[in-house]
Amino acid sequence: MTVLNAPLPEAIGDIRVPTFDDIARHHHALAPWVVRTPVFEKHDFFSLEDTPVQFKFEMLQLAGTFRTRAAFSNMLTLTDAQRSRGVVCVSMGDQAVAVAYAARRLGVGAKAVMLRSAPLARVEACARLQAEIVFADDGAQAYAIAERLSVDEGLHLIHPFSGYQTTLGNATLGYEWATQSANLDALILPVGSGGLAASVALAFRYAHPDCEIFGVEPEGANVVSRSLAAGYPVRLAEMNSIADSLMTPFTETYSFELCRRLLSDVVTVSDMALANAMLALFEQVKLGVEPSCAAPLAALLGPLRTRLAGRRVGLMLCGSNISSDVFSHYLQRARTAREQRN
């Protein structure tokens, strides 16, 4: 499926679309609160020798996730009264860790509504950052709890992927990357809800309009692919993937419309492809990353290999919140599969 790019509107619904100047100003406003993550060029990646690759090391961001940018973006706009009441978020893990981290640095109380199935490493990280954790059985219940806390306790609800302030915060990542890379032919971005891809693509398209931008989803959590095929946001009844950070059962109109206009294509990869990409990153770049972080490489090694052969490709490495035992399990799974193939 090829997604045709469309002109950007000034707003989607009642939410404004950030301009390039908006993003540039916000990037400088966030500078005291986040780190400028490096890029790394590799021209000899095994089996991709004809394709120069540039990695954007956003997994080195504070709290180990790109979501830290949007967490600060939202919290820095709070009034004194809102700060005194605190914030609440819904998360499988990374959003909760980012919000807890930003809240602690800003002296704001935080509650994180997390699924009981959330990775233990992320639950423990939230606890260390002194966020109050409320558990939910599923996503629908989690959002209901967060909305109730927002109403009953006056907590400011920080949306995990949609809306102006979250998009603006995440777009600073694309702006920063664009200032580091003047001649990339293509980007590959991980896709869960579509919020990160939409935000980074927005900033990069402003700076480098000729760069093609691709999204990649897990096969078992492909809500954006299905939404684009349908022509409107859809909801998944079931999801199954090792890339828990990309398991969002729905997208929203704002993120969906930006993805529809900005992404050239969205492809899917299997769990085995994700594990193989994790192993490749460990062996060739010496990185320990979570499955969602390996998704762009999995796409380049798989469905986008021929399409992007010989072009300069940027890969977003978005997060590193994974425990050593889970990481080892996936690497062993990939090694075993490789041995069986050979």
Side-chain angles (χ1 to χ4, degrees):
M1 175 192 64
T2 298
V3 182
L4 298 177
N5 303 142
L8 285 174
E10 292 185 2
I12 296 172
D14 59 354
I15 305 175
R16 192 161 62 89
V17 174
T19 66
F20 185 73
D21 288 342
D22 292 334
I23 298 168
R25 284 193 297 268
H26 201 60
H27 177 263
H28 295 297
L30 287 185
W33 304 101
V34 300
V35 297
R36 181 180 177 88
T37 56
V39 296
F40 173 69
E41 299 266 354
K42 191 166 179 63
H43 297 263
D44 59 349
F45 203 96
F46 179 70
S47 82
L48 292 173
E49 289 84 356
D50 60 342
T51 304
V53 177
Q54 182 186 85
F55 297 100
K56 173 61 170 166
F57 279 24
E58 186 64 9
M59 34 83 72
L60 299 179
Q61 187 53 256
L62 300 173
T65 173
F66 73 92
R67 294 182 185 277
T68 303
R69 295 176 186 264
F72 276 112
S73 178
N74 279 277
M75 274 184 257
L76 289 171
T77 66
L78 298 180
T79 65
D80 289 342
Q82 288 173 320
R83 288 166 65 101
S84 68
R85 289 191 293 270
V87 298
V88 62
C89 69
V90 176
S91 178
M92 271 292 289
D94 281 345
Q95 170 78 349
V97 175
V99 168
Y101 175 81
R104 186 173 183 184
R105 283 190 64 186
L106 293 171
V108 176
K111 288 188 178 182
V113 185
M114 304 182 73
L115 301 190
R116 297 187 191 281
S117 57
L120 181 60
R122 295 173 197 167
V123 176
E124 291 176 342
C126 285
R128 286 195 299 272
L129 292 166
Q130 301 178 344
E132 181 180 339
I133 301 169
V134 181
F135 287 106
D137 294 326
D138 55 41
Q141 185 185 70
Y143 276 94
I145 291 172
E147 289 171 358
R148 189 185 72 238
L149 289 170
S150 177
V151 173
D152 294 348
E153 300 182 18
L155 304 181
H156 181 79
L157 177 57
I158 296 179
H159 199 286
F161 62 83
S162 194
Y164 180 79
Q165 210 61 41
T166 294
T167 299
L168 187 62
N170 289 336
T172 65
L173 171 52
Y175 174 87
E176 179 179 289
W177 197 0
T179 66
Q180 296 168 310
S181 308
N183 55 349
L184 290 177
D185 297 313
L187 298 186
I188 307 178
L189 307 173
V191 172
S193 61
L196 170 65
S199 303
V200 172
L202 178 66
F204 222 95
R205 281 258 187 245
Y206 283 139
H208 303 300
D210 294 331
C211 182
E212 279 198 281
I213 305 177
F214 299 86
V216 53
E217 292 181 300
E219 288 178 353
N222 59 342
V223 68
V224 173
S225 295
R226 292 191 183 189
S227 297
L228 290 169
Y232 54 86
V234 302
R235 179 179 290 269
L236 300 182
E238 296 181 358
M239 297 181 296
N240 183 30
S241 175
I242 64 172
D244 49 80
S245 295
L246 302 181
M247 287 175 59
T248 304
F250 65 96
T251 184
E252 291 191 350
T253 299
Y254 190 78
S255 298
F256 166 76
E257 288 295 338
L258 287 175
C259 284
R260 186 173 68 84
R261 288 169 166 83
L262 295 167
L263 301 184
S264 296
D265 203 355
V266 178
V267 300
T268 60
V269 292
S270 68
D271 280 357
M272 183 52 68
L274 291 169
N276 288 337
M278 291 173 68
L279 178 60
L281 285 169
F282 179 74
E283 291 182 335
Q284 298 194 56
V285 196
K286 307 307 177 188
L287 296 178
V289 302
E290 60 188 271
S292 60
C293 188
L297 178 60
L300 185 58
L301 291 170
L304 293 177
R305 180 195 292 265
T306 301
R307 189 167 175 179
L308 297 182
R311 302 173 69 186
R312 296 191 71 249
V313 182
L315 302 181
M316 171 66 70
L317 302 178
C318 61
S320 57
N321 286 317
I322 188 170
S323 65
S324 58
D325 57 336
V326 174
F327 178 71
S328 298
H329 169 74
Y330 291 142
L331 257 59
Q332 186 56 53
R333 181 175 169 182
R335 289 193 191 98
T336 300
R338 183 170 64 187
E339 290 169 359
Q340 292 172 346
R341 289 194 301 271
N342 295 334

